Amino acid sequence: MTERINLKQTDDIRDVIHLAVQYLAKGELVAFPTATAYVIAGQSLSSSAMTKLRALTKAEEPLVLCVKGFDEAFDYLPNMPPIGRKLSKRCWPGPVILDLERPGPDTLFSQLPAEVQSQICPETRIRLRAPAHEIIFQIMRLSPSPLVLLNEQSKYQTADDIMEDFKDQVALVIDDGPSRFGDQSTIVSISNNDWSILQPGVVTEITLKRLTSEIYMFVCTGNTCRSPMAEGLFRNLLSDKLGCQEDELTDQGFIVGSAGLAAASGAPPSPEGVTILAEQGIDIRSHESQPLTERLLDQTDHLYTMTQGHRAAILAERPDLEDSVKLLSPEGKDVSDPIGGGFQCYVDCKKEIEKYLRQLVSQINVH
C-alpha cells in the first residue's frame, strides 16, 4: 500500500527524508514534488528499481539521471559539450532537462551496473536534471548514488495526480501541495554543440537563447571606474561590429557586465568616467557597482581583469578558471587606477582600455 506524507503537516522534515532514503535503498519507487511537476524516482544502484521505472515509460525513451548540480553531472559526462556545460551551470537547479549523447567508457556512468545503464539509456542518449526542491536535494545528499527519474509530465501537478495513476507502483508519495510553476520542465537536446527543444516547458526558447549567450565580464577593484568604462566601451564596440543597438546584444548572443574584487553593491560610476564616455555617446550613468561573486565566476565565459594582481587574486581562489580569466592587456601590462590622479589620468586610462578592447573585439567571430 502506498504511504503518503504531507510535508506541511510534518513535525520534522528529517523523518521524511530518512524514510524516503530507506524506501529507495530497498529498491522501491518514491514520488517527489519539484517546482514544476511531481516526479517518480528510484535509486540508480538498484536494478529492481530501474526495472520498475522502465516499466512505467516507453521502451526507447531515456530515464532522467538526477544530479545535484554541474559538478556531479560533469563527473558522469566529462565530455559534455560547451553548450551543455553552459546550460547546466546557468539553469541548475531548475526546470531544464538536458538530453545528450550517452557517456562513453571510463566515466562515472560506466561504473554503474550494466543492466542499470541499459535501463537508464536504452539507446544512445542520456538525460540529466538537477531539480529545484529542497526535499529531493537533501535525499540525494544521503543517497549512495544519483536518483533516476521518470520523465516529467505536466499533468502531475499534485500528489493526488500521482496517486491516481501510480498508486500501486509507488511506495511513498511526498505531498507538498500544487507545484509552483504549474508546468513541466523543458527538455533541451544538445548535439554537436547546438541545441533544440525536445519538450516545451517552463523555460522558453527566448530564455534559452539568453542562457546560451557568451558572457563577458570586466573586473577591477571597486567597479566604479575602470571596469564600468571597459563595460561601456565594449558594448559600444561590439554592437558596432554586429550592426545592432547596444540593447540588442543579448538577442545577438552576448551579455556584458562588470564587477569588482572589493566592490560594494550599488555605488555609482566615477563622474570622470561618465563624462569621458559621454563624449563618445556612451551612457554609463545607470551603472551600479557589484562584487565579483562565485555565481558570476561560475557563469562567466570570458573574464578580463585590469591588473595582474586582480587575476592572481581570482585564480588563488579559483585555479579551475585559468583558461577563462585573462588580463585585459594582451601585452601583459596593468591598467592603472586613475582615482586621485586628476581628469587627464581618466582620459589616459580610457584610451588604454579602448585600445585593448579594440583588439579583443576584432578577435570575436560573429555569425
Side-chain angles (χ1 to χ4, degrees), residues 328-331 352-360:
L328 180 61
S329 165
E331 305 160 4
E352 186 178 8
I353 290 173
E354 186 172 21
K355 180 181 73 171
Y356 299 144
L357 290 175
R358 288 188 181 279
Q359 295 178 58
L360 173 59

Side-chain angles (χ1 to χ4, degrees), residues 114-169:
E115 65 272 20
V116 169
Q117 293 181 48
S118 62
Q119 296 282 20
I120 296 173
C121 303
E123 296 188 347
T124 62
R125 307 290 288 180
I126 187 172
R127 290 181 181 173
L128 300 173
R129 177 186 184 186
H133 197 288
E134 186 64 17
I135 190 74
I136 195 168
F137 181 80
Q138 293 301 330
I139 288 167
M140 284 193 293
R141 288 181 63 244
L142 297 178
S143 298
S145 69
L147 302 183
V148 177
L149 313 179
L150 195 65
N151 189 42
E152 187 180 82
Q153 295 185 42
S154 60
K155 66 178 181 179
Y156 298 117
Q157 291 298 310
T158 67
D160 287 338
D161 298 331
I162 287 286
M163 291 289 289
E164 183 176 344
D165 282 5
F166 299 105
K167 185 174 182 180
D168 296 331
Q169 291 96 348

Side-chain angles (χ1 to χ4, degrees), residues 198-262:
L198 278 184
Q199 171 184 284
V202 171
V203 181
T204 64
E205 182 176 5
I206 292 175
T207 300
L208 284 168
K209 285 181 179 179
R210 292 179 177 175
L211 288 168
T212 55
S213 296
E214 290 289 296
I215 297 181
Y216 284 80
M217 187 69 57
F218 299 95
V219 172
C220 65
T221 304
N223 193 216
T224 59
C225 179
R226 287 169 291 179
S227 57
M229 285 200 293
E231 177 186 351
L233 286 164
F234 184 75
R235 287 180 184 277
N236 181 259
L237 292 169
L238 185 58
S239 61
D240 282 349
K241 178 167 185 169
L242 294 169
C244 69
Q245 300 297 314
E246 289 185 28
D247 59 6
E248 297 173 338
L249 284 174
T250 300
D251 297 331
Q252 298 289 330
F254 295 92
I255 294 174
V256 185
S258 63
L261 293 183

Side-chain angles (χ1 to χ4, degrees), residues 315-333:
L315 295 181
E317 297 294 327
R318 293 293 303 273
D320 57 303
L321 300 179
E322 174 78 27
D323 292 338
S324 60
V325 178
K326 301 174 183 176
L327 188 68
L328 180 61
S329 165
E331 305 160 4
K333 297 180 180 179

Side-chain angles (χ1 to χ4, degrees), residues 50-107:
M50 296 303 96
T51 300
K52 292 173 185 175
L53 275 180
R54 176 52 57 197
L56 300 178
T57 191
K58 297 176 183 177
E60 73 284 356
E61 186 172 62
L63 298 171
V64 181
L65 192 67
C66 188
V67 294
K68 294 186 282 291
F70 167 76
D71 289 338
E72 188 175 21
F74 193 62
D75 289 337
Y76 281 87
L77 204 65
N79 293 323
M80 186 185 297
I83 286 288
R85 299 185 192 189
K86 193 174 293 190
L87 285 174
S88 60
K89 286 181 177 180
R90 297 175 186 174
C91 296
W92 290 348
V96 169
I97 297 170
L98 298 183
D99 180 279
L100 302 132
E101 288 291 332
R102 177 175 174 159
D106 301 322
T107 63

